[in-house]
């Protein structure tokens, strides 16, 4: 097996891991969190947002943002693999990485600074109302774009003639 094919397979696995993370979050975690009281919800989100900042997450999240463009470069001139990878890269960098950096992370940072125990119940309720639906909407966008990226990388794997 050629190194380019190994690179493509690693890229596919990392992309799939991130898509699975956002998908699982959308169809399970947010549903469970939605059942919590306002203060429990905010505490849980603060905890989750702090704990996801770990080397395993960064390896897959940032690794995908690096390996997709590298794969585009490696497979340049090899149609249609190049096109699939280019589209997967654009979908990931804009719809996953970009939405995370411009949307979810600033919201997470804002929530992290919120002192739940020192806030009134009305302030806690308002924070949740300000945070929950928008954050979930952005996560759903990331989920869709991550799945699209996976599909495109799988197509690149299928059409790869360099194996």
């Amino acid at each position: 097996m050629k190194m380019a094919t190994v690179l493509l397979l690693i890229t596919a696995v990392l992309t799939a891991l991130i898509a699975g993370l956002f998908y699982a979050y959308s169809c399970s975690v947010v549903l469970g969190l939605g059942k919590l009281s306002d203060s429990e919800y905010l505490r849980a989100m603060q905890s989750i947002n702090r704990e996801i900042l770990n080397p395993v997450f960064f390896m897959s999240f940032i690794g995908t943002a690096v390996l997709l463009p590298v794969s585009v470069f490696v497979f340049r001139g090899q149609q249609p693999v190049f096109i699939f990878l280019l589209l997967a890269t654009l979908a990931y960098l804009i719809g996953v990485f970009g939405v995370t950096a411009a949307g979810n992370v600033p919201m997470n940072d804002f929530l992290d600074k919120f002192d739940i125990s020192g806030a009134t119940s009305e302030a806690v309720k308002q924070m949740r109302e300000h945070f929950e639906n928008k954050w979930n909407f952005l996560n759903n966008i990331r989920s869709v774009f991550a799945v699209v990226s996976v599909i495109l990388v799988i197509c690149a794997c299928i059409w790869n003639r360099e194996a």
Side-chain angles (χ1 to χ4, degrees), residues 38-149:
D38 294 341
S39 60
E40 289 172 325
Y41 170 83
L42 294 176
R43 279 188 183 91
M45 284 301 293
Q46 284 179 335
S47 180
I48 290 167
N49 291 336
R50 290 172 186 148
E51 293 305 316
I52 199 163
L53 303 176
N54 66 70
V56 175
F57 171 74
F58 284 125
M59 180 187 68
S60 53
F61 184 70
I62 295 172
T64 301
V66 170
L67 290 183
L68 278 167
V70 168
S71 295
V72 169
F73 178 78
V74 167
F75 285 93
R76 68 192 183 283
Q78 297 181 39
Q79 304 297 337
V81 175
F82 170 79
I83 297 298
F84 287 130
L85 291 172
L86 179 62
L87 293 173
T89 300
L90 292 173
Y92 187 84
L93 292 178
I94 295 167
V96 179
F97 200 87
V99 167
T100 301
N104 295 90
V105 169
M107 291 183 72
N108 294 348
D109 291 343
F110 183 72
L111 176 61
D112 193 54
K113 293 175 183 143
F114 184 69
D115 178 16
I116 298 165
S117 59
T120 65
S121 59
E122 184 59 30
V124 169
K125 181 179 188 225
Q126 287 176 351
M127 174 57 88
R128 182 177 184 168
E129 288 172 356
H130 170 76
F131 184 86
E132 184 175 20
N133 289 335
K134 184 177 178 186
W135 195 96
N136 290 344
F137 176 72
L138 292 172
N139 190 67
N140 288 338
I141 291 171
R142 297 188 300 186
S143 299
V144 168
F145 276 91
V147 169
V148 167
S149 295

